[in-house]
Amino acid sequence: MAPKWRDLADRFAEQIKTGQLPPGAQLPQIRELVEAGEGSKETVHKAYKALEAEGLVTSTRGHGTVVRPRVALKRLGIARYDKAKWRDGDEVAFIADRVASGRAYKRNEQTQTVSRVEADSLVAEGLGVPVGSEVYARARLVKEGTQPTHSLTSYYRPEHVEGTRIVDPTPGPAGRGGGYRVLYDAGYEIDHMREALFARIPTADEVQLLQLPAGEPVVELHRTTYTADGTVVEFAVGVHAASRFAWEYDFKVPDSAQDRKGQE
């Protein structure tokens, strides 16, 4: 038999999942539930903490416990890197996501810090350089309004970006078209990329940076960007608040058997 706090948490969870309690709805104050006979103060507190750990509600001092918003940003797949967006226009990747989601944006919602650092094993492998090599790190924090959505740090070989807008720490994208346009103008047109994704528990620093509620996981992205001849021109590590994005990919389904026939 489940403890009373678990039964109470399950009842609220069902109401949230069925829409009876919509995003932004406030749950009753703890004292109200105690007075209604739902259990002791400790019982109700445990139920609310369980809902918070499951990512269904947020609890803040002065605002009580409210149902978390579920409307997530579209995080486009290959479409966010369409050359027409950044080469011929001014839609850098995070702006392409906002446009596709029908959401407003400001260019200064992307801040950045640029520095020269020594490549650790992950970055060295991503860029194809020896461990300890000096590389440029362009760290960005992207917000929607005042709420952070994700961080992204791009690493570059100095010979590819020295003297370009990529190493200019001015807030916002690196000029019209962003970093990929800068690389394009420098003779490094991007051709293909590889992305790897995995979910994990955030670090304490990430919880603070991204303003994550209790129980919120993050999705870590590793992106490697290549020119047509296979030169790596960017290796990036992103950390995304899991509930703030809906990842979307649109691609042609391969048929390797048919491709082999065409080569015979």
Side-chain angles (χ1 to χ4, degrees):
M1 183 176 178
K4 192 168 184 177
W5 66 265
R6 183 69 263 175
D7 288 336
L8 182 60
D10 288 344
R11 272 192 281 135
F12 276 119
E14 181 65 19
Q15 292 175 39
I16 292 169
K17 292 172 182 177
T18 59
Q20 296 175 58
L21 284 171
Q26 186 162 11
L27 272 61
Q29 296 291 326
I30 290 178
R31 61 174 176 76
E32 294 174 350
L33 292 174
V34 172
E35 292 171 358
E38 292 290 356
S40 66
K41 182 177 179 180
E42 182 182 9
T43 294
V44 179
H45 180 71
K46 281 186 176 180
Y48 278 11
K49 292 304 288 184
L51 292 170
E52 190 174 6
E54 291 160 18
L56 297 175
V57 302
T58 58
S59 297
T60 56
R61 188 179 298 276
H63 293 88
T65 301
V66 298
V67 179
R68 289 181 61 181
R70 290 202 213 167
V71 179
L73 280 167
K74 287 184 180 179
R75 199 283 186 183
L76 301 177
I78 58 175
R80 73 198 306 265
Y81 304 119
D82 183 353
K83 292 182 182 181
K85 296 183 186 299
W86 52 264
R87 182 193 59 206
D88 308 328
D90 193 21
E91 273 190 31
V92 298
F94 94 87
I95 292 177
D97 291 341
R98 300 286 176 85
V99 171
S101 303
R103 308 270 269 268
Y105 66 87
K106 295 179 181 178
R107 291 176 65 84
N108 64 5
E109 287 178 330
Q110 173 180 291
T111 62
Q112 61 186 352
T113 302
V114 179
S115 57
R116 286 186 75 137
V117 301
E118 291 187 357
D120 61 18
S121 57
L122 176 64
V123 173
E125 181 179 4
L127 284 178
V129 299
V131 173
S133 299
E134 274 209 344
V135 298
Y136 271 108
R138 181 169 171 249
R140 283 94 82 199
L141 177 66
V142 182
K143 297 182 178 182
E144 185 178 19
T146 60
Q147 182 183 64
T149 58
H150 64 290
S151 65
L152 182 72
T153 302
S154 294
Y155 298 92
Y156 306 92
R157 300 184 192 185
E159 62 267 28
H160 292 161
V161 298
E162 194 72 76
T164 71
R165 293 190 307 275
I166 280 178
V167 298
D168 181 349
T170 302
R176 180 176 172 82
Y180 289 143
R181 178 57 192 262
V182 173
L183 290 168
Y184 176 82
D185 290 342
Y188 301 105
E189 180 175 2
I190 68 171
D191 177 76
H192 58 283
M193 58 181 59
R194 182 176 66 243
E195 290 189 341
L197 304 168
F198 60 93
R200 61 172 174 79
I201 301 300
T203 66
D205 287 344
E206 289 165 347
V207 169
Q208 183 174 12
L209 179 67
L210 298 177
Q211 299 175 17
L212 300 174
E216 172 90 18
V218 293
V219 175
E220 184 166 322
L221 163 77
H222 293 177
R223 180 178 74 205
T224 311
T225 306
Y226 304 83
T227 61
D229 67 2
T231 300
V232 177
V233 290
E234 178 208 35
F235 175 69
V237 178
V239 180
H240 300 70
S243 69
R244 296 171 194 166
F245 288 92
W247 299 71
E248 183 175 294
Y249 287 89
D250 184 9
F251 51 87
K252 181 179 175 62
V253 176
D255 186 345
S256 57
Q258 193 64 38
D259 291 343
R260 284 195 296 271
K261 287 182 180 179
Q263 294 172 1
E264 293 175 354

